[in-house]
Amino acid sequence: PGGMRAFVNACLGKNFDASINSSVIKTYKSLRELRIWKSPIGDDGVAALTGLLSAGMERIPLTYLELLDINLGHRGAFFLGRALSEKAMPNLVSLIIDYNKIGSEGIKKLAEGLKTNSTLKKISMKGCSIEEDGGDPIGEIISYPKTKLQHMDVSGNNLTGSGLFKLCLGLESNKTLISLRASDNNISSEFDGINQLSKVLMSHPKLSVVDLRFNRIGEEGGKLLAPALTAENTQIESFEPDSTVPNELFYLLRRKPKPNKKKKKAKAKK
């Protein structure tokens, strides 16, 4: 945490030498993106980061924060959530906390702040050891009436069908989410979640990208999704089912995004 405090203080232009005139201290105002990868700063480091940044976010307009595999736990998730709820990071639009074992307890702590956040547009929590009871707080995050969330990635957790069901209950009142990636979440034995997702796909105003790969939903799960993925539903641009769905049904469900066609440059007249 000491190193983290020193880093943030440097960004804020703070110096604890009283002999230095504060008028010459300059804030590093160019910091827009911050990535910390595989550095074990832990919960104390995150506390230092959020606590010190919150004091200077008006001067440092950070828009992107990525904390990848840094030993973040549920205590650090609490500090992060508190910073986001108190609008300490008003410019932050992307939060990536992949491969930190915060668990369901951590997502509950994080949700305490995020469920009242109205600036974040993207959140990624891949491989965070979130269990089925983590579906409730995730649903709370996306059901906040003022949320601006557009992209959510919860791949590589253990939500199961039960957790997906709870997440989808939150999606029922959401009007902003565009993409939901929930691959590899052990969604197989309980089909209430798949059935609820199917309903969401038919009614959500913006959801257009869904990834369900590496969830053994099989033929039964595929049949539940089929009514939502008819040719009439043109809003769904990309849908990735699991390979356990029989071939014919798999290709009926699967949708791949159309590649962006580059416009040909007009030839200059001679």
Side-chain angles (χ1 to χ4, degrees), residues 85-97:
S85 68
E86 294 175 352
K87 298 181 181 180
M89 300 181 181
N91 301 295
L92 194 70
V93 294
S94 296
L95 176 64
I96 317 295
I97 55 170

Side-chain angles (χ1 to χ4, degrees), residues 103-104 107 128-135 138 157-160 163:
S104 297
I107 188 61
C128 285
S129 302
I130 303 171
E131 302 291 327
E132 61 182 83
D133 56 339
I138 293 174
N157 288 290
N158 192 37
L159 283 173
T160 74

Side-chain angles (χ1 to χ4, degrees), residues 4 7 31-39 49 62 64-68 70 94 96:
M4 202 70 247
F7 167 75
L31 186 64
R32 297 290 187 276
E33 300 182 3
L34 177 59
R35 293 173 172 85
I36 303 175
W37 293 358
K38 296 188 176 183
S39 178
L49 175 66
L62 191 70
Y64 182 99
L65 179 61
E66 183 168 354
L67 305 173
L68 190 148
I70 59 161
S94 296
I96 317 295

Side-chain angles (χ1 to χ4, degrees), residues 51-229:
L52 289 169
L53 275 179
S54 64
M57 283 310 292
E58 291 182 0
R59 290 174 285 160
I60 300 180
L62 191 70
T63 60
Y64 182 99
L65 179 61
E66 183 168 354
L67 305 173
L68 190 148
D69 192 12
I70 59 161
N71 289 348
L72 176 68
H74 61 84
R75 194 164 59 89
F78 166 76
F79 292 122
L80 196 54
R82 185 175 64 179
L84 290 164
S85 68
E86 294 175 352
K87 298 181 181 180
M89 300 181 181
N91 301 295
L92 194 70
V93 294
S94 296
L95 176 64
I96 317 295
I97 55 170
D98 297 342
Y99 311 116
N100 291 289
K101 298 184 183 299
I102 64 171
S104 297
E105 186 63 27
I107 188 61
K108 290 174 186 175
K109 299 290 187 185
L110 187 64
E112 286 300 314
L114 287 181
K115 68 184 181 183
T116 57
N117 180 283
S118 59
T119 59
L120 209 60
K121 293 183 178 180
K122 176 182 178 180
I123 184 167
S124 181
M125 302 176 285
K126 294 188 289 188
C128 285
S129 302
I130 303 171
E131 302 291 327
E132 61 182 83
D133 56 339
D136 266 331
I138 293 174
E140 288 179 1
I141 292 170
I142 56 182
S143 63
Y144 178 52
K146 294 183 180 179
T147 186
K148 288 185 172 63
L149 265 179
Q150 296 178 350
H151 307 285
M152 175 174 281
D153 194 337
V154 290
S155 302
N157 288 290
N158 192 37
L159 283 173
T160 74
S162 176
L164 178 64
F165 177 81
K166 296 168 185 173
L167 186 157
C168 287
L169 289 179
L171 268 177
E172 285 184 341
S173 56
N174 173 276
K175 301 184 188 312
T176 61
L177 205 69
I178 295 171
S179 68
L180 173 64
R181 301 187 184 278
S183 64
D184 192 17
N185 261 283
N186 197 25
I187 301 167
S188 58
S189 58
E190 300 172 40
F191 291 103
D192 283 348
I194 294 294
N195 193 39
Q196 195 65 25
L197 176 62
S198 182
K199 292 177 182 178
V200 167
L201 291 174
M202 290 188 280
S203 62
H204 197 280
K206 289 190 177 179
L207 190 63
S208 59
V209 177
V210 178
D211 185 357
L212 281 183
R213 290 174 297 171
F214 312 115
N215 292 293
R216 301 180 67 81
I217 63 173
E219 184 175 5
E220 187 176 348
K223 286 179 178 178
L224 288 171
L225 289 166
L229 291 160

